[in-house]
Amino acid sequence: MAAMTAAGRRALRRWALALAALAAAAAALDNGVARTPPMGWLHWERFLCGTDCAADPRRCVSEQLFMEMADAMASEGWKDAGYEYVCIDDCWMAPARDERGRLQPDPKRFPSGIRKLADHVHSKGLKLGVYSDVGNKTCAGFPGSYNHYELDAQTFASWGVDLLKFDGCNFGTLELLAEGYRNMSLALNKTGRSIVYSCEWPLYLRPVQQPNYTEIKQYCNHWRNFLDVSDSWSSIKSILDWTAIHQDSIVKIAGPGGWNDPDMLVIGNFGLSWNQAVTQMAMWAIMAAPLFMSNDLRDISPEAKWLLQNKEVIAINQDPLGKQGYRITKDNNFELWEKPLSGRAHAVAVLNRQEIGGPRNFTFSLTFLGNGLACNPTCSVRQVLPTSRDWGFHNWVSSLSVEVNPTGTVLLKVVAL
Ligand code: GLA
């Protein structure tokens, strides 16, 4: 056989790459949504299960809460920054289904009904998310969707719902857990409405069985792997550690249409220092995480708002290449992470895990990044967090030294030239 010409080999390689891209795209749930990590607001971490509106009208889980949050999202720059979904978590339902077997909202707390709430949210140019559970009860004990997947999917679609967070409490057997997640996905697709499907399937499966992520990605747009986030640095650290330890199995699966979900952004609440908030924002961007804030947008500091609305960080999270980042090294209580971006660029995060003393310098060679290609032969380096700053031009043998505060992160963007 005649040897293939260089041009022939290049053409073959282009074909192989195109085919591989097609295969990867086909593996994701084909419902046209979540091509980049979804962004929005979710009530759980900040507002939990407040049902006594007489005692606490401003913080109970009610239509008023979601309407006020939608108003703030539209008027305070959140929507323009990309936050789109206003999401209800657990505890919105009445204790029983209606006479036709349909889920219904608690009539006292949602007197106008979910359809009206969806209309209000849509009128602001935003989208509405609701919550249900694969089992017969939600985690907080409200009616779950078991045995009602089709009906519930139709009900949600008829209300104009745009996202479903589907929890996994009270799932019964492992077969029922898998069947439930699959069936709800099919039922949502059958409605013909584009509904983001947010799963917790691997979180509930993992204690007993290794999740099959190829399958999960065929049914879900994003999925929780690890415990609920809380408003604390120890929670953020445990999520980052879990993700780094499991990166070999979870990073490769993420991409347009299907994302690992490390849970909500808790920036703007009470538990994180400024440096820790910077770390959560930087690392959620690196992880290509769905960005759902759980905070009070009616009452949030200008600093938290600046961080959460930071366009350069959000662009890293939303990069169209859709690659999740990973940890490259952990050394002397520093962690170095990178996320490949489109346009021959990389986001790079240096996290200082030391919790004693003051700022420390981390010096590293740019050959460490992007398998040696991030700065080859030269690159521009820009610091995005904690403050924006240009670090100028470098070449592939340059070293970079950054100063990082305890528990803080320096986030950089490196563009190969
Ligand atoms: C589980 C989920 C949380 C939240 C609560 C609600 O714990 O993981 O994100 O939805 O249930 O009860």
Side-chain angles (χ1 to χ4, degrees):
M1 200 168 80
M4 194 183 268
T5 63
R9 278 197 301 274
R10 276 199 302 276
L12 202 65
R13 196 173 136 70
R14 273 201 302 276
W15 268 104
L17 283 174
L19 275 177
L22 259 180
L29 172 58
D30 187 19
N31 61 355
V33 288
R35 305 310 297 168
T36 60
M39 296 174 62
W41 181 91
L42 176 61
H43 97 248
W44 184 255
E45 195 288 322
R46 176 67 188 257
F47 293 97
L48 298 171
C49 194
T51 53
D52 188 351
C53 291
D56 201 352
R58 202 172 143 80
R59 287 189 288 251
C60 67
V61 179
S62 69
E63 63 185 33
Q64 188 189 328
L65 180 72
F66 298 98
M67 283 164 73
E68 289 178 0
M69 232 42 86
D71 294 350
M73 273 173 81
S75 65
E76 298 293 325
W78 301 100
K79 180 178 155 241
D80 294 339
Y83 295 95
E84 190 179 16
Y85 292 88
V86 183
C87 301
I88 311 175
D89 207 287
D90 206 345
C91 305
W92 60 273
M93 297 141 176
R97 290 174 176 267
D98 72 7
E99 69 288 349
R100 288 165 57 192
R102 292 172 308 184
L103 287 174
Q104 51 184 346
D106 182 279
K108 282 219 184 72
R109 293 181 284 122
F110 293 84
S112 318
I114 305 294
R115 170 86 246 180
K116 280 272 159 53
L117 179 57
D119 289 346
H120 179 81
V121 168
H122 292 154
S123 76
K124 300 276 165 186
L126 297 164
K127 295 185 166 156
L128 182 72
V130 290
Y131 165 101
S132 186
D133 190 286
V134 75
N136 55 11
K137 285 216 180 319
T138 70
C139 298
F142 290 79
S145 288
Y146 180 64
N147 253 335
H148 298 88
Y149 300 128
E150 291 245 345
L151 176 61
D152 290 355
Q154 282 158 18
T155 307
F156 300 147
S158 75
W159 287 339
V161 162
D162 306 290
L163 179 149
L164 174 65
K165 173 173 172 177
F166 209 42
D167 213 334
C169 273
N170 311 303
F171 61 78
T173 65
L174 286 187
E175 286 70 35
L176 289 175
L177 177 75
E179 228 173 72
Y181 272 105
R182 284 194 292 257
N183 285 342
M184 183 50 103
S185 179
L186 298 173
L188 290 172
N189 262 8
K190 225 168 118 185
T191 67
R193 192 174 170 83
S194 293
I195 299 176
V196 173
Y197 186 38
S198 155
C199 300
E200 299 200 29
W201 187 355
L203 167 62
Y204 288 91
L205 188 59
R206 196 171 268 282
V208 259
Q209 202 176 297
Q210 274 300 317
N212 175 350
Y213 283 104
T214 310
E215 183 187 16
I216 289 168
K217 191 178 178 182
Q218 281 163 10
Y219 289 99
C220 302
N221 291 120
H222 45 93
W223 47 85
R224 287 269 310 283
N225 295 307
F226 187 63
L227 303 178
D228 294 2
V229 71
S230 65
D231 187 11
S232 72
W233 176 233
S234 62
S235 168
I236 302 303
K237 281 189 295 187
S238 66
I239 293 171
L240 291 174
D241 288 341
W242 189 93
T243 306
I245 288 166
H246 295 88
Q247 63 183 9
D248 287 348
S249 58
I250 64 167
V251 165
K252 58 178 182 243
I253 203 75
W259 311 96
N260 291 295
D261 177 6
D263 212 2
M264 295 160 266
L265 292 166
V266 294
I267 297 163
N269 294 321
F270 311 96
L272 302 186
S273 70
W274 172 247
N275 287 290
Q276 294 157 5
V278 166
T279 291
Q280 192 186 27
M281 194 66 193
M283 297 311 296
W284 263 235
I286 289 279
M287 291 188 290
L291 297 181
F292 287 90
M293 306 175 283
S294 192
N295 48 19
D296 191 343
L297 299 176
R298 301 164 301 185
D299 179 17
I300 187 161
S301 71
E303 294 77 27
K305 189 172 171 184
W306 175 85
L307 183 57
L308 287 160
Q309 293 190 0
N310 187 301
K311 285 197 167 53
E312 287 184 278
V313 187
I314 291 174
I316 289 170
N317 172 269
Q318 295 286 302
D319 186 83
L321 192 59
K323 285 214 182 290
Q324 178 169 341
Y326 39 83
R327 192 166 73 189
I328 306 176
T329 59
K330 184 176 183 185
D331 181 30
N332 188 24
N333 263 332
F334 280 111
E335 295 185 23
L336 178 65
W337 294 62
E338 72 176 10
K339 175 188 199 281
L341 303 174
S342 55
R344 299 188 66 221
H346 285 79
V348 177
V350 182
L351 164 57
N352 179 0
R353 289 289 297 262
Q354 191 156 293
E355 299 181 15
I356 189 167
R360 294 189 302 146
N361 283 317
F362 181 72
T363 305
F364 62 104
S365 162
L366 289 170
T367 50
F368 270 140
L369 305 176
N371 274 326
L373 296 177
C375 188
N376 194 340
T378 58
C379 61
S380 67
V381 180
R382 183 170 163 76
Q383 180 176 306
V384 173
L385 287 177
T387 50
S388 60
R389 158 177 187 182
D390 275 321
W391 281 92
F393 295 102
H394 294 263
N395 64 54
W396 69 290
V397 287
S398 305
S399 281
L400 215 60
S401 191
V402 291
E403 187 180 274
V404 199
N405 293 338
T407 71
T409 294
V410 168
L411 181 65
L412 307 169
K413 185 175 174 185
V414 177
V415 184
L417 301 168

